[in-house]
Amino acid sequence: MAKLGPSIDELISALRCLPGVGPKSAQRMTFHLLERNRDGAQRLVQALSHALDNVKHCQRCRILSETELCSRCNDDRRQQDILCIVEMPSDVLAIEQATQYQGQYFVLSGHLSPLDGIGPDALGIPKLIEWLDKNTIEEVILATNPTIEGEATAHFIGELARTRNIKVSRLAHGIPLGGELEFIDSSTLSHAFSGRESL
Amino acid sequence: MAKLGPSIDELISALRCLPGVGPKSAQRMTFHLLERNRDGAQRLVQALSHALDNVKHCQRCRILSETELCSRCNDDRRQQDILCIVEMPSDVLAIEQATQYQGQYFVLSGHLSPLDGIGPDALGIPKLIEWLDKNTIEEVILATNPTIEGEATAHFIGELARTRNIKVSRLAHGIPLGGELEFIDSSTLSHAFSGRESL
């Protein structure tokens, strides 16, 4: 690739740390920032460095938070005895937007993946065990992704909860609303068929 | 959308200045940067603020450059009497990568768009006129995009060159290599048909 100078090349390369940004997009972003939107670029520098300095994880649920406890963990009006386990902070937002759920969350920040060296410790499982042991939890909702790793993680945590006599549930799998049978993948369809509900 | 705190929300909003990044992607990028790649985020902060401080425009061809004259304008071995006019710095890179062109460039940084208040001055046309007047230019290659605005810009600059008795050329239009007639849009196909070349 033709070179434009070390600062520009370094910026193109640094932008590739963003998810879904390849060399072409990084180049386009670089030109856009330097050519058309230097104010926006300046704002991005400030927002990013401010967030890097100030955003930590909630000490309780591990979601990204600027305070020691996030707003949800600080909110006494939420139910204390129901705990929803998700992989990513974005899953919390998705559930908050879509449902009326008013319980607690625990963010794993990933899923079990022994080949990548991600074991229970990296997912904060010791902290989760402490939570389950020290508090009265009626139900654990496993809301990990329906992938192989997500299922394995759900299974692992489900066992932890069951040995403590806590009710365990898993998000329902099946045909998405608005989906057409013809275009649903066969494993989802087979799952939905065998798990059919009586009317 | 559920809120995560002012620093995080500001970062999500600041990331939307990047081209092609909507609210969902900005949120995904934010989580990725803060959750998984703080080193990359730190590097991005440094690269971006360094580029903002150091990258200016080449005084001659207006491409982004860290020095007063870019490497191409500084290179005496390139042909001095042929000038290729492009809209964006990325077009220079594309032409450099794809062709053997060894002449000069002039970057408009846009196209004529009177409704958006982009007139000849914003495109550096006065500087281009000075260049055409003070130097011996044999040929001007118009390599603006084949859009309505790009064609209008090319026409405008073509007239400037013709009144100075400079040969003017335009990139050839037609069917892209590897394209299939069936899937080519009709205006391109009609253009290629009427502009057919004899074998």
Side-chain angles (χ1 to χ4, degrees):
Chain A
M1 191 175 284
K3 296 296 176 205
L4 277 165
S7 304
I8 304 177
D9 294 337
E10 166 64 12
L11 177 54
I12 293 176
S13 157
L15 279 166
R16 294 195 54 194
C17 75
L18 296 171
V21 174
K24 275 275 175 191
S25 311
Q27 187 181 301
R28 194 158 65 96
M29 288 175 170
T30 298
F31 288 135
H32 180 85
L33 290 173
L34 295 177
E35 193 75 63
R36 310 214 164 167
N37 198 351
R38 291 201 172 217
D39 291 346
Q42 197 65 59
R43 185 180 163 205
L44 179 56
V45 166
Q46 273 152 16
L48 189 50
S49 74
H50 189 259
L52 282 172
D53 290 341
N54 290 283
V55 177
K56 315 264 181 279
H57 292 92
C58 171
Q59 292 295 310
R60 192 153 172 263
C61 73
R62 288 170 41 104
I63 200 172
L64 291 170
S65 167
E66 287 170 71
T67 46
E68 195 144 319
L69 287 185
C70 70
S71 56
R72 269 173 292 274
C73 287
N74 249 334
D75 186 349
D76 295 337
R77 290 164 306 177
R78 295 185 74 102
Q79 268 182 274
Q80 300 293 325
D81 58 356
I82 179 164
L83 180 58
C84 176
I85 317 258
V86 297
E87 290 187 26
M88 298 300 293
S90 45
D91 302 333
V92 173
L93 297 195
I95 293 172
E96 286 285 290
Q97 280 175 264
T99 73
Q100 303 294 317
Y101 180 67
Q102 282 290 322
Q104 307 296 311
Y105 290 97
F106 188 83
V107 179
L108 299 168
S109 293
H111 44 237
L112 289 176
S113 181
L115 289 179
D116 302 317
I118 302 178
D121 287 352
L123 302 183
I125 301 293
K127 182 174 275 190
L128 176 62
I129 290 175
E130 198 187 313
W131 192 341
L132 295 180
D133 285 341
K134 291 200 180 158
N135 296 274
T136 316
I137 304 288
E138 295 290 333
E139 178 177 356
V140 164
I141 303 173
L142 299 169
T144 53
N145 289 329
T147 57
I148 292 176
E149 296 90 351
E151 293 289 352
T153 310
H155 182 78
F156 179 81
I157 297 172
E159 283 305 306
L160 290 179
R162 253 187 294 271
T163 57
R164 285 161 180 81
N165 289 319
I166 299 170
K167 180 181 161 199
V168 178
S169 59
R170 181 100 180 90
L171 295 196
H173 293 324
I175 299 165
L177 296 190
E180 293 186 44
L181 286 199
E182 186 181 352
F183 301 115
I184 302 290
D185 65 292
S186 56
S187 56
T188 301
L189 187 53
S190 126
H191 203 108
F193 198 84
S194 62
R196 61 193 176 275
E197 295 157 16
S198 54
L199 278 180
Chain B
M1 188 175 284
K3 295 295 175 206
L4 277 165
S7 304
I8 303 177
D9 294 337
E10 166 64 13
L11 177 55
I12 293 175
S13 156
L15 280 165
R16 294 195 53 193
C17 77
L18 295 172
V21 174
K24 275 274 175 191
S25 312
Q27 186 181 302
R28 195 159 63 96
M29 288 174 171
T30 298
F31 288 135
H32 179 86
L33 290 174
L34 295 177
E35 195 73 63
R36 309 217 163 164
N37 197 350
R38 291 202 173 217
D39 291 345
Q42 198 64 59
R43 184 180 163 207
L44 179 55
V45 166
Q46 271 152 17
L48 189 49
S49 75
H50 189 259
L52 282 171
D53 289 341
N54 290 283
V55 177
K56 314 265 180 279
H57 292 91
C58 170
Q59 292 297 310
R60 192 152 172 264
C61 74
R62 289 169 41 103
I63 200 171
L64 292 169
S65 167
E66 287 171 69
T67 46
E68 194 143 319
L69 287 185
C70 70
S71 56
R72 270 172 290 276
C73 287
N74 249 334
D75 186 349
D76 295 336
R77 289 164 305 177
R78 295 184 75 100
Q79 268 181 276
Q80 300 293 324
D81 59 355
I82 180 164
L83 180 59
C84 176
I85 317 259
V86 298
E87 289 187 26
M88 297 300 293
S90 44
D91 302 334
V92 172
L93 298 195
I95 293 173
E96 286 283 291
Q97 279 175 263
T99 73
Q100 303 293 318
Y101 179 68
Q102 282 290 322
Q104 308 296 311
Y105 290 97
F106 187 84
V107 179
L108 300 168
S109 293
H111 45 236
L112 289 176
S113 181
L115 290 180
D116 302 316
I118 303 178
D121 287 352
L123 303 183
I125 301 291
K127 183 174 275 191
L128 176 63
I129 290 175
E130 198 187 314
W131 191 340
L132 295 180
D133 284 340
K134 290 201 181 155
N135 297 273
T136 316
I137 303 289
E138 294 291 334
E139 179 178 356
V140 164
I141 303 174
L142 299 168
T144 53
N145 290 328
T147 56
I148 292 176
E149 295 89 350
E151 294 288 353
T153 311
H155 181 77
F156 180 80
I157 298 173
E159 283 305 304
L160 289 179
R162 254 187 292 273
T163 58
R164 286 163 178 79
N165 290 317
I166 300 170
K167 181 182 161 195
V168 178
S169 60
R170 181 100 180 88
L171 296 195
H173 293 324
I175 299 164
L177 295 191
E180 292 186 44
L181 286 200
E182 187 181 351
F183 301 115
I184 302 290
D185 65 293
S186 56
S187 55
T188 301
L189 186 53
S190 123
H191 202 107
F193 198 83
S194 63
R196 61 194 177 275
E197 295 156 16
S198 54
L199 277 180

